[in-house]
Amino acid sequence: MKSSLTIFIGFVHDFAAGCWAASVAALYWLQGQNLGPELLMGLADLRKRFFYAGLACILIVMITGAGRTFTYVDNVYGAEAEQKRKKMLIVKHLLLLIVFGCGTYWQYRMAFGP
């Protein structure tokens, strides 16, 4: 049962991260469209919805990421490799924190900016 939960949480975690990236891409695409002012005003609500959907995705990524911490089995790769894996995970998460932070700020600017 624990292994099934681990796989499911990992799937939801990765899926939510992909959905966040898709929400950023959708906002970028909407921003780049050469539309008239009336249509752009009509799309303002849609842009905000993509922004809030992106925030929900980030929340899901964080919750499932915490869940992965508790369901992960230690020393799958051996003690030495496990130490390297942990260091690499820290670096990966720091980089992804920057990506998510900058991406969310960019998304905010596209959704609520001029």
Side-chain angles (χ1 to χ4, degrees):
M1 179 68 176
K2 186 176 179 179
S3 62
S4 296
L5 183 62
T6 302
I7 293 167
F8 179 73
I9 288 172
F11 172 76
V12 172
H13 182 79
D14 295 342
F15 186 74
C19 287
W20 173 81
S23 73
V24 174
L27 262 173
Y28 176 71
W29 182 80
L30 284 173
Q31 188 78 4
Q33 297 303 302
N34 200 5
L35 306 170
E38 297 86 21
L39 192 53
L40 281 176
M41 291 304 291
L43 290 176
D45 186 52
L46 181 61
R47 291 190 323 222
K48 291 175 186 174
R49 287 177 187 237
F50 274 118
F51 172 74
Y52 290 123
L55 287 182
C57 289
I58 289 173
L59 182 63
I60 292 168
V61 166
M62 289 182 178
I63 290 169
T64 55
R68 287 176 103 176
T69 302
F70 297 112
T71 59
Y72 188 80
V73 179
D74 285 328
N75 290 327
V76 172
Y77 306 109
E80 184 180 329
E82 190 66 23
Q83 289 299 328
K84 289 179 185 176
R85 186 192 69 81
K86 286 180 181 180
K87 287 178 186 177
M88 292 173 76
L89 275 173
I90 290 169
V91 171
K92 177 189 95 166
H93 284 95
L94 288 174
L95 288 172
L96 287 176
L97 185 64
I98 293 168
V99 169
F100 272 89
C102 292
T104 301
Y105 175 72
W106 185 39
Q107 202 175 22
Y108 173 82
R109 298 277 302 177
M110 288 188 288
F112 294 99

